[in-house]
Structures are given as structure tokens and as C-alpha cells.
Amino acid sequence: MSETGTADERYTVISADCHAGADLLDYKPYLAARHHDDFDAWAATYINPHEDLLADTADRNWNSDRRLAEMEADGIVAEVIFPNTIPPFFPSASLMAPPATREDFERRWAGLRAHNRWLADFCAQAPGRRAGVAQILLNDVDQAVREVRRAKEAGLTGGIMLPGTPPGSGLPELHSEVYDPLWAVCAELDVPVNHHGGSASPPLGDDPAARAVFMVETTWFSHRALWHLIFGGAFRRHPGLKLVLTEQGSGWIPGVLEMLDYYHGRLVTAAARSVTAESRFGAGLAEKMGAAPADIWRDHCYVGASFMRPHEVPLRHRIGLDKIMWGSDYPHDEGTHPYSREALRLAYAGLPPSEVTAMLSGNAARVYGFDLALLAPMAARVGPTPAELAEPLETVPADATSPAFAKGGAVRVW
């Protein structure tokens, strides 16, 4: 895509946030035979708690042809795929649903491996167009390391989905060096570490107030991975490590980086002074981190900016234009389908085509290894044109359900 764009050019659009998974019973062939009886017993009594997986649109998660057709109608030619359906032996999609016994953990690991195997096959149905994100657990770092290697060998180019460690999980916090073998293998194999919104919140219950509090706090709990890995020194010890924060918004990033830089400078300065009440909080921090938080963000971090909203776009240079990867969140109700073109017009109308290109495909291609030359013929057929996306959206589709079209939304700077 040139700087000015011409009438016959089209954008290559890669969604950096989509979701997929197998229909429940279709996971069985991907389990080792020793788990088949347990799977049959579990599946026979399982009640799916998610309405979207019971609707007639549920097959968007696993129907490859339908998925390709609907995404192409939206102008999208490639996708990064996070999990969505329920893996075997899990009560819900949450990776942090606490298992009761070691046997539960073993079954959960088997279920995640089954999903990862299924996902590798699903990605292979559309070569070069799907970067699958593998699932792991954090209770056994050695198993996690082995699964990273297996997923890479199987062709899952989306990296791993990093679970959160919410209060009450019983897991070491993400700043702990106990996870160093995991960061090391991800850096060695150039595997992105993805932390998706909603995967780090503690259970709050089903009271109306609890549900409201969850919505207010869930992105904050997801953001915690950023400062845990930064202050924990993971990027200093593993210079090749890449962290992607997905479906957590993007407008919060400049303010949080300023806050982290403030605390870093304050604590490092305090540690260099004679003993004070604050000096102990900064002791050893400079050596552990190796750089300031904003510099670490610049060198190691990216944002999967799902349905980027207009109020976030003016912050793109403060976030880093080379950091932002637009996502449709297909097939979720809050995703932009079938109005992704309209969502892009609402957010990006009036921007230079080179900047739009970076956020729609260039950054995702660099992070996840998509071959833009391979995708170009498909984009030439279905992608939106610069003229189309340059046209401001005057009227929001009446039946649009994505927050991309929500009114208001002041920039939050913490």
C-alpha cells in the first residue's frame, strides 16, 4: 500500500483478535486413548454455560468455510486465533477454574493439548491465513515449556496464551523468576506471549453488583501482566521476549507507561539514597529491570487493539504506531462482524494510508509471521480500498453490537 493509495489498491486486513475452537465432541479424537472413557463420562453430563456456544451461530468457531466467507465479506484475509470453546475437562473456558486434585490438573493439561492439536489442523485448512494461539497452564512450568515446543513444531504461529494469576489462584505471581524457563523458550523460538483480556480476574460471584464490578475491573487485572513482567526483569533476562496485550483496549497505555516510569524513577532514586522508609522498595530494582518501563514497552511489547475506538486513535503515536494491531474479535457478539468495514471507517477515516496499513497488517505480519505477499491476491479481491476507509462513517448500523460503535469514551489516563 503506497502513501497516497490508488483506486485499484486495497488494504490487506489481518485481525489480531479472533476466536475459535472445536465442537465439544470433536475434541475426542485429539485426546490420547487413555482419556477417552473419562472424556465420554465428562461430556455426557457437561452443561455448556455460554449462550453463544448454544446458538445457531456457534459453528463459526469450527466451520472453516463459513468463517472464511464471513471474514472475507468483512474485508479480512487473515487472523490470529485465540481459544473460545470449552476444552475437555474444563467447567468453563476459564484457564483459571481451580482444579481440585492433581488428577484434575492432568486431565486439564490433556484437554488443552487436545485443543492445540485441533487448532493446528484448523489452521492448516487455510494455509498462511491463520496464526493459532496455543493454550498452556502455569502450574507446571516444565510441561508448559514442552507444550510451547510442540505447538511451534505443529505450526501454531500465534504463540501462547498466557493465563493470569489472579488473587486466590495459588500460583506464583507473573513477576516470579519461576517462570523463566517459559520466557526463555518463547524468546528462543520467537513465540509471542499473548495475554488476553478477561483471563486474569478472580471470581466475584453472580450478584448484579459482582457482575458490574467484574466489567469495571477485568481489564485492570489483565493489564497487571505488563507491569509484572517489566518490574520482574523478564525482558532483561530474555531480550527476545515479545508480549502482546489483546482485547484490553489501547487508550490506557500512555498513561500507564507514564505511571510506571514515575514509580521506576522514584524507587530507583530512593534506593540510591541513605536508608529511608521508601528506599527498601527500590533496592535492586534497577539491576533487575535493566531499562525504564517505557523503553521496555518500545522494545518488547505490542497491543492487539480489538475494535479500536475513535477516541483511542489520536493516541496512536504515544502508544507506538508500530505496536498497534487491529482486531475484529470474530465471532463474538461484541466483535465488529458484519460491520468491520464500518468500524474501520469510524476509527481510521482521515489517517494517512501508511499508518492504516501498519495497524491493519504490517505490525501483525511482523509479530506473527504472516506472509504479506501470500495474502496480497486475497486482499486484492476482498480488502477495503483507501477511498472506502477514508470516508467518515456518518450513521452507525442500527443492529451493530460492538463497543467499536459505542458513543462517548473519554481517554483514560489512570
Side-chain angles (χ1 to χ4, degrees):
M1 176 62 61
S2 67
E3 173 66 29
T4 57
T6 62
D8 60 346
E9 288 181 318
R10 293 179 182 268
Y11 288 111
T12 298
V13 182
I14 299 171
S15 173
D17 180 31
C18 290
H19 298 263
D23 199 2
L24 189 68
L25 298 181
D26 290 342
Y27 277 125
K28 183 175 179 178
Y30 292 94
L31 287 164
R34 67 181 182 276
H35 295 295
H36 284 184
D37 288 345
D38 284 346
F39 176 80
D40 290 341
W42 171 78
T45 60
Y46 184 76
I47 299 175
N48 197 316
H50 302 293
E51 292 182 3
D52 64 320
L53 296 180
L54 300 173
D56 59 4
T57 55
D59 74 324
R60 290 173 177 168
N61 286 284
W62 57 80
N63 184 330
S64 183
D65 291 341
R66 177 177 184 174
R67 189 181 186 96
L68 290 172
E70 291 188 350
M71 295 188 74
E72 287 183 5
D74 261 4
I76 299 167
V77 297
E79 57 178 330
V80 179
I81 302 180
F82 289 86
N84 198 45
T85 58
I86 311 303
F89 308 120
F90 278 74
S92 71
S94 172
L95 297 183
M96 293 311 305
T101 65
R102 179 67 193 182
E103 289 72 21
D104 284 342
F105 259 129
E106 291 176 358
R107 284 190 290 266
R108 300 275 181 91
W109 267 109
L112 293 192
R113 291 191 188 100
H115 170 82
N116 294 343
R117 293 180 186 118
W118 174 88
L119 183 58
D121 282 352
F122 187 70
C123 291
Q125 294 181 49
R129 301 182 67 177
R130 293 172 176 158
V133 178
Q135 297 191 70
I136 61 168
L137 291 172
L138 294 177
N139 73 298
D140 187 323
V141 175
D142 290 339
Q143 284 203 62
V145 168
R146 289 193 292 270
E147 191 60 22
V148 170
R149 293 192 180 278
R150 276 194 291 262
K152 179 77 172 185
E153 291 170 2
L156 292 179
T157 57
I160 62 165
M161 181 172 173
L162 177 67
T165 57
S169 70
L171 293 169
E173 295 282 8
L174 288 176
H175 60 69
S176 171
E177 293 185 22
V178 72
Y179 300 119
D180 265 9
L182 179 59
W183 313 143
V185 72
C186 290
E188 173 197 341
L189 299 179
D190 195 26
V191 167
V193 174
N194 305 276
H195 192 60
H196 195 280
S199 65
S201 300
L204 296 175
D206 199 39
D207 182 86
R211 293 196 296 269
V213 168
F214 174 86
M215 289 300 295
V216 170
E217 294 181 347
T218 186
T219 53
W220 181 86
F221 275 106
S222 297
H223 300 344
R224 291 175 76 228
L226 175 63
W227 52 81
H228 275 240
L229 268 68
I230 284 178
F231 286 128
F235 299 105
R236 181 190 64 79
R237 296 190 299 276
H238 310 285
L241 188 63
K242 292 187 293 191
L243 176 67
V244 183
L245 303 173
T246 297
E247 201 175 330
Q248 305 176 31
S250 57
W252 59 275
I253 292 170
V256 165
L257 291 178
E258 289 175 4
M259 177 193 70
L260 297 180
D261 270 354
Y262 163 75
Y263 277 109
H264 171 263
R266 172 178 163 181
L267 293 173
V268 168
T269 299
R273 296 175 179 153
S274 58
V275 177
T276 64
E278 197 166 86
S279 62
R280 65 187 181 90
F281 288 99
L285 186 63
E287 295 80 4
K288 192 175 189 72
M289 291 175 57
D295 295 331
I296 293 173
W297 171 268
R298 181 196 63 211
D299 294 338
H300 298 277
C301 304
Y302 304 85
V303 57
S306 310
F307 40 77
M308 195 173 188
R309 295 175 62 187
H311 72 271
E312 296 173 309
V313 176
L315 297 171
R316 64 193 182 279
H317 293 291
R318 291 178 62 195
I319 296 167
L321 190 63
D322 60 337
K323 302 296 181 182
I324 299 167
M325 302 178 289
W326 179 84
S328 68
D329 199 28
Y330 179 94
H332 288 167
D333 289 342
E334 64 268 27
T336 55
H337 176 78
Y339 300 116
S340 294
R341 295 173 184 270
E342 288 81 0
L344 291 172
R345 287 172 56 194
L346 185 64
Y348 295 151
L351 298 190
S354 61
E355 294 190 3
V356 178
T357 295
M359 292 185 285
L360 294 188
S361 59
N363 298 334
R366 189 174 68 257
V367 172
Y368 293 107
F370 287 103
D371 184 343
L372 292 175
L374 175 71
L375 299 176
M378 289 168 268
R381 178 170 53 85
V382 305
T385 66
E388 178 185 354
L389 297 195
E391 184 70 24
L393 185 71
E394 301 294 339
T395 304
V396 171
D399 58 342
T401 57
S402 174
F405 299 106
K407 294 181 180 180
V411 176
R412 184 177 67 175
V413 294
W414 203 271

